[in-house]
Amino acid sequence: MAINLTTRYSPEIEFAFSQDSYIKSHCKAKVDFTGAKTVRVYMLKTTALVDYQRNGSSRYGKLEDVQDTVLEYTMSQDKSFTGVVDKGDESAQSITNKAGQWLRQQIREQVVPTADQYALNKILNFGHIVAADTKPTSENIITEIFKARTWFNNHRVPREGRYIYIPASMTPDIMLSKEWCGLDNLAGKQLPTGVIGSVAGFTIVEIPDYMFSDGHFFTAVHEQAVAFPYKINAAKIHTDPVGINGAVIEGRQLYDVFVLGSKADAVYSLVLESAQQAKPTINAETISAVTIESSGAKAIYYTLDGSDPRFSMTRQIYTSAFDGTDKLVKAVAMDTVGKFTSDIAETQVGSE
């Protein structure tokens, strides 16, 4: 016999996930679940302004339908776990209660840290990356954060809802600087996990060092630029299965993190220059046989329509020379292990 815990415990486990996660509560881009593993993001298209015409039948410009851009993402993280509650003299009711307690603790101690580490790395690799020669120190860390502020301001990122993830070992460099705002502006508020204060318009979130990859110094985000969907797919108890005198608990969680392509400029990371994948080189001397190179890259993605190769539905993986005649070629290189996503290269290819 199997007892389904999903309905009973899903709401409180999802709440615990958000409360215990350093990252999830700051990822507020809205998604709709459309399947067991898929979510959709809807973005309204806007139109360019035109000069008003004082005569004619279309004085406000060409009439076009207001449309959504619909993007569908597939959650790639499909994790599971299992445990046993020995029956002993426990009643069926107490086994269920103990299983629920264990399930909540499993989420807090195993699922949340694993998901946060994955999320931090993925957010970094799909936003704007800035490379530095050396690790920031107390002498220049605030300057680097203000550069992130300047980037956000120049790209019209809303001022409310800005966060910056900092490794614990770099927190003293910030807190001992003269520019540090202190905690007064956050006093009396219920703070999410890791929040310690603010500087340069960013709420500072301190995260354990082990969650940062080598050469990753910090990541600044706006809460509407990132989605972090999480779903309990199954949580159940099997009573007295073969070979067990008690209950076997099984759990399965689906989750992923998505930087919205239209808001990728609202993610800014500082990394060590040697830890970033080399920017691709696009060779278009022969326009009908364009080649792309990036030393050591595990994959190079390119587009021919001017769209962002990190996100575009039309992107292709580079395998061999292609015809780029009259195309705007954009390319990005990725290394699945070891190095961060490259800068985007682009070349306008001419015609014969």
Side-chain angles (χ1 to χ4, degrees), residues 79-83 102-103 232 234-236 249-253:
K79 304 297 184 182
S80 62
F81 53 81
T82 186
W102 182 82
L103 184 61
I232 298 176
K236 54 189 175 182
I249 309 161
E250 295 178 335
R252 183 182 177 192
Q253 282 75 41

Side-chain angles (χ1 to χ4, degrees), residues 292 299-305 307-309 312-320 322-323 330-332:
I292 308 176
I300 298 175
Y301 294 95
Y302 71 95
T303 58
L304 301 177
D305 57 5
S307 58
D308 191 323
S312 178
M313 300 291 287
T314 64
R315 76 176 186 175
Q316 303 175 61
I317 189 166
Y318 176 76
T319 56
S320 60
F322 57 89
D323 186 352
K330 289 188 176 183
V332 66

Side-chain angles (χ1 to χ4, degrees), residues 226-304:
V226 182
F228 196 162
Y230 169 78
K231 186 177 184 181
I232 298 176
N233 196 56
K236 54 189 175 182
I237 301 174
H238 296 280
T239 305
D240 290 330
V242 175
I244 301 294
N245 181 24
V248 173
I249 309 161
E250 295 178 335
R252 183 182 177 192
Q253 282 75 41
L254 300 172
Y255 64 86
D256 215 319
V257 175
F258 305 109
V259 175
L260 304 191
S262 62
K263 298 180 179 179
D265 286 334
V267 175
Y268 177 108
S269 297
L270 183 69
V271 305
L272 188 65
E273 185 174 21
S274 60
Q276 186 180 16
Q277 180 61 39
K279 183 178 180 179
T281 300
I282 302 172
N283 185 342
E285 291 183 7
T286 304
I287 63 176
S288 60
V290 176
T291 59
I292 308 176
E293 295 180 353
S294 176
S295 178
K298 296 296 187 297
I300 298 175
Y301 294 95
Y302 71 95
T303 58
L304 301 177

Side-chain angles (χ1 to χ4, degrees), residues 118-130:
Y118 167 82
L120 190 61
N121 191 62
K122 188 167 182 182
I123 291 170
L124 154 68
N125 279 295
F126 283 85
H128 177 67
I129 297 178
V130 175

Side-chain angles (χ1 to χ4, degrees), residues 158-207:
R159 294 179 183 273
E160 295 296 323
R162 296 180 180 184
Y163 293 86
I164 191 163
Y165 303 124
I166 294 285
S169 60
M170 291 182 64
T171 303
D173 293 329
I174 295 175
M175 298 185 72
L176 296 177
S177 67
K178 63 181 181 180
E179 296 90 349
W180 173 247
C181 297
L183 294 173
D184 291 345
N185 61 334
L186 298 178
K189 295 183 179 180
Q190 185 176 359
L191 302 181
T193 300
V195 170
I196 58 173
S198 63
V199 68
F202 292 101
T203 298
I204 305 295
V205 183
E206 181 184 32
I207 295 181

Side-chain angles (χ1 to χ4, degrees), residues 9-29:
Y9 290 105
S10 284
E12 58 181 288
I13 288 176
E14 290 179 13
F15 177 76
F17 187 99
S18 296
Q19 289 298 108
D20 293 335
S21 171
Y22 290 98
I23 295 173
K24 190 175 189 304
S25 61
H26 312 133
C27 301
K28 297 184 178 180

